[in-house]
Amino acid sequence: MKKWLLMTLGFVACFIGLATTFSPNQNVQAAKTYTIGTDVTYPPFEFANKENKYVGIDVDLMKAVAKEEGFKVNIKTMGFNAAVQAMEAGQIDGVIAGMMITPARQQKFDFSAPYYNSGVVMAVGKNSTIKNFSQLKGKRVALKTGTAAATFANSIKDKYGFKTVTFDDSNNMYEDVATGNSVACFDDQPVLQYAIQHGEKLKLATKPQTSGAYGFAVKKGANQELLAKFNAGYKKLKANGTYQKIVKKYVGSTSGIPKASVAVAATTKGTQSAKNPNVAGKTFNIGTDVTFPPFEFANNSNEYVGIDMDLMRAIAKNQGFKVQIKPLGFNAAVQALESGQIDGTIAGMSITDERKQKFDFSDPYFQSGVVMAVAKESSVKSLSQLKGKKVAVKTGTAGADYANSIKDKYGFKTVTFDDSNNMYQDVVTGNSVACFEDSPVMQYGIKQGTKLKIVTDPAEKGDYGFAVKKGVNQDLLAAFNAGLKNLKANGEYNKITSKYLGSKQNNAESAAKSNNADTEDRSFFGLIKQNKGALWSGFKETMWLTIVSIFFATVFGVIVGLLGVAPGKFGKGLSSTLIYIFRGMPLLVLALFIYTGIPSLTGSKIPAFIAGVVTLTLNEGAYTAAFVKGGIEAVDTGQMEAARSLGLPYGKSMRKVILPQGIKIMVPSFINQFIITLKDTSILSIIGLLELTQTGKIIIARNLEGFKVWTIIALIYLIVITLLTWLSNWVQRRMNA
C-alpha cells in the first residue's frame, strides 16, 4: 500500500513539475508546506473569531511570514501542551503559541528571534480587595498548565502560602476566579488585558513580575531551514511595518514588540465565537465516568482529559456556557442524571432505545463497536470457545449488554465490575477467560500496557451521545448539538479525536504518547512520587469525611442510645427501630438512596459531601447507639437503685453514677468505630467523592497499574488504622490501670 502511495505521489509531483515548466509566471519548485502547532484558547495570540477561523497575533504573523518567504503553513490548533509534545515527537514542524523562551525549553527546542516581550501579572475578581501576594495566604489560585505564568506562581506559592489549581485553557481559569472558586490567577499581561477588554470580570492587581520574550520554536536540530525562514520573514515584516499592524490590530499598542519603531494603521479588534443566548453565562454540572480512557481519564497532573472532556469543554466555549465536570462513575452519573442531581452526562454512553425512554440524547458524536479481548497467551479466538467459562463485563455498558445477549447462545457466564481496570485484571489473572469492551477503549488499555489482546472484529456498532434527563435541560441539549456542528465544521472535532485516537486510524497511540506512558516511572516509588499530590488530596478528603462523620455519628448515637435506656416504651421503641434500620441497611444502598433517591422524590439536590456525611452519620451512629446502649446496660442495675434510694433524680443518677462507669466501657468501642468509619469512607466513591479509594481509581484509569496503586492505597489505610489501633490499646491500658 505504501509503495503504491509513494508511486502515486511521485507521479503527481512529476505532473506538477511539467505543468509549471510551461507556465512562465510560476516558480519551478512547488512551495513547501509546514505543519505548525498552536494553542486553542490564548487570545490575543490565537483564538477563533465569529467565523470560527483561527486568528490572532501568532496566527497572522505565521501566515504573513509564510507569504513573505514563499512557503505554506498548515495551522493545527492543538492546545499548548499537546502542541509542544507533538513537536517533540516530530509530528509537527514547529510551534507558535505565545511560547516563552526559557533555558529549560532551549534544551529541547531551537527558538527564533524574540517577536514579543511580555511579563506575568496577577488578576483578581472585579470586586476583590486583593492587591498583593501577601493576601493570598491559605487561598486558591488558578493557573494554566505549562505556561510561564504557572511556573512563576509555583515558584512563589510556598513563600506566600497559597494553593494552586491548574486548567488546560485560559477561559476556564478566568471563570474559576470570576465565580469565586479561586481568588486570583496568573497570566501574561497582554493575554489578561485582552480578556478583560472582552468582558472577563477580572482586574489586574499587580504590575508585570517577570520579563520574557515569546519565540517561534522548532525541535532542537530539526527544521533549521524553517527557523531561518521565520527569522528572515519576521525581520522583513518589522521593517515594512506589517508586523506592527498585526500587533496593534489585536492589542491596540506595539509596546510588546522588541525594538518596534514603525508607525501602524488604525486599530480593529479581534472577535470570538458568538455565544448562544439561551445558555450563555450559565454553569452546568456534567457527570462522567472515572475509568473510560480515551474518552475520560485523569492525566499526569490529575486533570480530567479525553475525547468526552475536551469535546464538552470545547462546545461549552463555543456556545458561551460553563461546565463543572463531576467524575462520578458511569452508573452513579446515570443515576444522578435521572434524579436531577446533575444536568447532563457524557461518558461514552451508547444511544439505545431503552435509554431513550428516560433520557434525551444529542446528535451522535462518536461511533464504536464491541470487541472481545483475552489474555495475551490465551488460545481463545472465537465466541464458540467460551462455553462453560466465565466472562468479565463492565456494569451498564454496551459491552455488557452485548455479552448478556449472546451468553445463552454460547453457554458462558458473566461477572460484572464497576470499572474497566478490575475487569481487565480479572482476565489477566485468569479468573475470567475474556472480557467485552468498546473497541477504542480496549485498544487504549492494551496500548497502555494491559496484557490482553483483541480477538474479534467490532460487533453491535452503535453511537455515543450526550444525555440529559427526558424533557429537562433542552436548551443545553440544543447548545450541545449546535456546538458539535460548529466544531465539526471548523475542524476542531477532528483535532480532538485525532489527539487521542490518531489521525487516520482508531488506535490509542496518540493518547498514550500524550500521557507519557513510555517515560513514566512505573515502580512503587515512581508511582508515589508522580501521584503524591493526588494521594495526599485523597487522604485529606478521607480524613475530613471521617472526622466530620464520626462527630455527628457520636452525637446521633449517644442520643439514640440514651433513648434506649430511658424510662418509657416510646423512647426504647424509637431507639430500637433506628438502630435496626440503619445498622441493617447496606452502606452502599444507603449512600445511593440519600444521594440519588431522595432528590428524585423531593426535586432538591444534595451535595455529594453532605450525602456522604449523612450516610456515615446514620450508619455509624446506629452502631454507636448500640454500644452506648450496651455500655449503660452493662453497669450493674443496683447502681441506679442505690442512687435513687439516696434521693437522686433519674437524670442526676444517670449523669453522676451510671454514665461515668458506662463511658469507661464504651471508650475503646468509640475508637474502634472511628477505624470502621475511616474504612467505610471508601464506599462513598460510588457517589463521586474524591477520597482515597476514588483517587486510586483515577490514577489506575490513567496508567492501569492496578496492583501497584491498590498496594499503595492499602498501605496508607493500614498505617493509619495501625496508629489508631495502638491508640485504642493505649486508652484501654490507661483506663484499666
Side-chain angles (χ1 to χ4, degrees):
M1 182 68 186
K2 289 182 178 178
K3 183 177 179 181
W4 281 105
L5 181 61
L6 290 171
M7 290 176 65
T8 303
L9 290 174
F11 176 80
V12 172
C14 290
F15 179 82
I16 293 173
L18 288 171
T20 54
T21 300
F22 295 99
S23 179
N25 296 324
Q26 298 291 329
N27 293 325
V28 173
Q29 186 177 0
K32 190 171 182 179
T33 300
Y34 295 96
T35 301
I36 307 299
T38 189
D39 207 342
V40 292
T41 57
Y42 203 58
F45 292 92
E46 46 264 339
F47 62 95
N49 64 13
K50 286 183 178 179
E51 290 75 38
N52 283 306
K53 294 179 180 178
Y54 267 85
V55 295
I57 294 172
D58 287 344
V59 178
D60 290 10
L61 172 61
M62 194 71 236
K63 290 177 178 177
V65 167
K67 183 178 179 181
E68 184 71 33
E69 292 300 301
F71 62 90
K72 299 177 182 178
V73 289
N74 178 24
I75 302 292
K76 295 183 76 69
T77 49
M78 311 172 71
F80 184 85
N81 276 353
V84 171
Q85 291 170 15
M87 179 168 64
E88 193 172 357
Q91 294 175 338
I92 57 177
D93 300 307
V95 169
I96 187 165
M99 190 175 181
M100 196 77 75
I101 303 171
T102 66
R105 287 172 178 162
Q106 284 176 321
Q107 293 177 14
K108 293 184 176 182
F109 310 116
D110 290 326
F111 283 87
S112 68
Y115 66 83
Y116 199 93
N117 290 329
S118 182
V120 174
V121 293
M122 180 177 78
V124 297
K126 264 194 173 181
N127 299 320
S128 175
T129 58
I130 292 176
K131 296 180 180 179
N132 54 57
F133 299 146
S134 60
Q135 293 176 276
L136 300 178
K137 189 173 182 179
K139 297 180 171 63
R140 193 173 85 158
V141 169
L143 309 172
K144 182 180 175 184
T145 309
T147 60
T151 302
F152 172 74
N154 284 319
S155 72
I156 65 169
K157 69 177 182 180
D158 291 335
K159 179 180 178 181
Y160 292 100
F162 59 83
K163 302 174 184 177
T164 60
V165 58
T166 57
F167 296 89
D168 284 335
D169 65 81
S170 301
N171 183 63
N172 286 338
M173 176 178 70
Y174 299 155
E175 292 305 318
D176 200 60
V177 179
T179 56
N181 291 328
S182 294
V183 297
C185 65
F186 288 80
D187 211 340
D188 287 355
Q189 183 180 12
V191 180
L192 267 171
Q193 286 176 325
Y194 182 90
I196 292 170
Q197 288 172 4
H198 285 74
E200 287 292 345
K201 297 178 181 178
L202 303 174
K203 63 181 179 183
L204 299 184
T206 65
K207 294 180 179 179
Q209 301 299 305
T210 63
S211 60
Y214 292 166
F216 168 69
V218 296
K219 187 177 180 181
K220 200 162 191 69
N223 285 308
Q224 296 302 300
E225 182 185 13
L226 171 61
L227 192 64
K229 288 180 179 178
F230 181 92
N231 283 330
Y234 169 59
K235 185 177 180 180
K236 293 175 185 176
L237 295 178
K238 281 183 69 180
N240 64 29
T242 301
Y243 181 52
Q244 289 83 345
K245 294 175 184 177
I246 291 172
V247 173
K248 195 169 183 181
K249 174 183 177 181
Y250 293 102
V251 297
S253 168
T254 59
S255 60
I257 303 176
K259 299 179 182 179
S261 59
V262 183
V264 296
T267 302
T268 58
K269 295 184 178 179
T271 55
Q272 297 187 12
S273 301
K275 308 302 181 184
N276 186 323
N278 295 325
V279 295
K282 294 181 181 178
T283 299
F284 297 98
N285 292 316
I286 307 299
T288 190
D289 206 343
V290 293
T291 57
F292 202 58
F295 292 93
E296 42 264 345
F297 63 98
N299 62 14
N300 286 340
S301 303
N302 285 297
E303 298 165 342
Y304 264 85
V305 294
I307 294 172
D308 286 348
M309 299 298 91
D310 291 9
L311 180 62
M312 192 72 237
R313 290 177 180 129
I315 288 174
K317 182 185 176 186
N318 183 271
Q319 295 293 297
F321 62 90
K322 302 162 196 163
V323 290
Q324 183 72 37
I325 301 295
K326 291 184 171 292
L328 302 168
F330 185 82
N331 275 351
V334 171
Q335 292 171 21
L337 179 62
E338 192 174 358
S339 63
Q341 288 275 60
I342 56 177
D343 302 304
T345 292
I346 186 167
M349 191 174 180
S350 295
I351 302 171
T352 65
D353 292 335
E354 184 179 6
R355 287 174 178 161
K356 283 181 179 179
Q357 295 177 15
K358 293 184 177 180
F359 308 115
D360 289 326
F361 282 92
S362 68
D363 296 334
Y365 66 85
F366 195 90
Q367 187 180 72
S368 182
V370 175
V371 293
M372 182 176 78
V374 298
K376 268 193 173 181
E377 307 302 324
S378 175
S379 60
V380 174
K381 296 180 180 179
S382 64
L383 300 174
S384 60
Q385 292 176 276
L386 299 178
K387 188 173 183 179
K389 296 181 173 64
K390 191 170 73 169
V391 169
V393 296
K394 182 179 173 183
T395 311
T397 61
D401 291 341
Y402 175 65
N404 286 318
S405 71
I406 63 171
K407 67 179 181 180
D408 291 336
K409 177 181 178 180
Y410 291 100
F412 60 83
K413 300 175 183 177
T414 59
V415 58
T416 58
F417 295 89
D418 282 333
D419 63 83
S420 300
N421 179 69
N422 285 335
M423 177 177 69
Y424 301 157
Q425 292 304 315
D426 200 58
V427 180
V428 171
T429 56
N431 292 327
S432 295
V433 297
C435 64
F436 288 86
E437 181 68 284
D438 284 3
S439 177
V441 181
M442 194 69 257
Q443 288 173 333
Y444 179 90
I446 292 171
K447 203 72 181 178
Q448 287 291 87
T450 302
K451 296 177 181 178
L452 300 175
K453 61 182 179 181
I454 296 171
V455 294
T456 64
D457 293 328
E460 294 290 303
K461 290 185 178 180
D463 296 318
Y464 290 168
F466 169 69
V468 298
K469 188 177 180 180
K470 200 162 190 68
V472 180
N473 282 313
Q474 296 301 299
D475 286 340
L476 172 60
L477 191 64
F480 184 96
N481 286 332
L484 178 63
K485 185 177 180 181
N486 290 342
L487 295 184
K488 285 184 175 180
N490 65 27
E492 191 169 351
Y493 172 83
N494 289 334
K495 291 169 188 172
I496 291 171
T497 55
S498 64
K499 175 181 175 182
Y500 295 98
L501 298 174
S503 58
K504 293 185 179 180
Q505 55 186 358
N506 274 348
N507 61 60
E509 182 177 357
S510 181
K513 284 181 179 178
S514 68
N515 199 35
N516 295 322
D518 297 330
T519 58
E520 275 191 12
D521 183 355
R522 297 298 185 94
S523 67
F524 279 101
F525 290 110
L527 289 171
I528 292 171
K529 184 178 179 180
Q530 291 160 13
N531 300 287
K532 60 184 178 181
L535 291 170
W536 175 242
S537 178
F539 174 74
K540 288 192 296 183
E541 183 77 355
T542 292
M543 295 306 298
W544 181 234
L545 268 171
T546 303
I547 292 167
V548 173
S549 299
I550 203 68
F551 172 79
F552 287 109
T554 300
V555 173
F556 176 75
V558 169
I559 293 172
V560 174
L562 290 175
L563 276 176
V565 296
K569 292 181 179 180
F570 177 78
K572 290 181 179 179
L574 179 61
S575 175
S576 297
T577 301
L578 291 174
I579 292 172
Y580 175 77
I581 292 173
F582 295 119
R583 191 169 63 171
M585 188 179 295
L587 191 62
L588 180 64
V589 175
L590 183 60
L592 290 173
F593 174 76
I594 292 171
Y595 184 65
T596 63
I598 292 177
S600 297
L601 297 173
T602 63
S604 58
K605 299 179 181 179
I606 301 176
F609 185 85
I610 300 299
V613 169
V614 172
T615 299
L616 291 175
T617 296
L618 296 176
N619 184 267
E620 311 301 338
Y623 283 96
T624 301
F627 67 68
V628 166
K629 184 178 176 182
I632 293 172
E633 289 176 341
V635 179
D636 193 290
T637 54
Q639 297 288 314
M640 177 61 80
E641 293 172 0
R644 297 301 298 273
S645 68
L646 292 172
L648 292 174
Y650 175 83
K652 201 166 189 178
S653 299
M654 180 65 73
R655 191 170 64 255
K656 296 288 187 180
V657 179
I658 305 302
L659 281 179
Q661 298 179 67
I663 288 172
K664 188 175 181 180
I665 299 170
M666 297 176 218
V667 165
S669 297
F670 272 112
I671 298 176
N672 288 334
Q673 198 59 39
F674 193 103
I675 295 171
I676 293 169
T677 304
L678 174 69
K679 292 189 290 185
D680 284 348
T681 57
S682 64
I683 295 175
L684 298 179
S685 64
I686 192 68
I687 60 174
L689 283 173
L690 199 56
E691 42 66 67
L692 198 53
T693 301
Q694 185 80 325
T695 300
K697 290 181 182 179
I698 290 170
I699 295 171
I700 292 167
R702 181 178 71 249
N703 57 35
L704 297 176
E705 290 285 356
F707 172 76
K708 292 177 182 177
V709 174
W710 287 131
T711 300
I712 294 167
I713 299 293
L715 286 173
I716 295 172
Y717 276 116
L718 190 61
I719 290 168
V720 176
I721 289 168
T722 300
L723 293 174
L724 290 173
T725 302
W726 288 349
L727 175 63
S728 176
N729 294 337
W730 179 80
V731 170
Q732 280 185 292
R733 288 196 301 271
R734 294 281 295 177
M735 296 191 74
N736 293 330

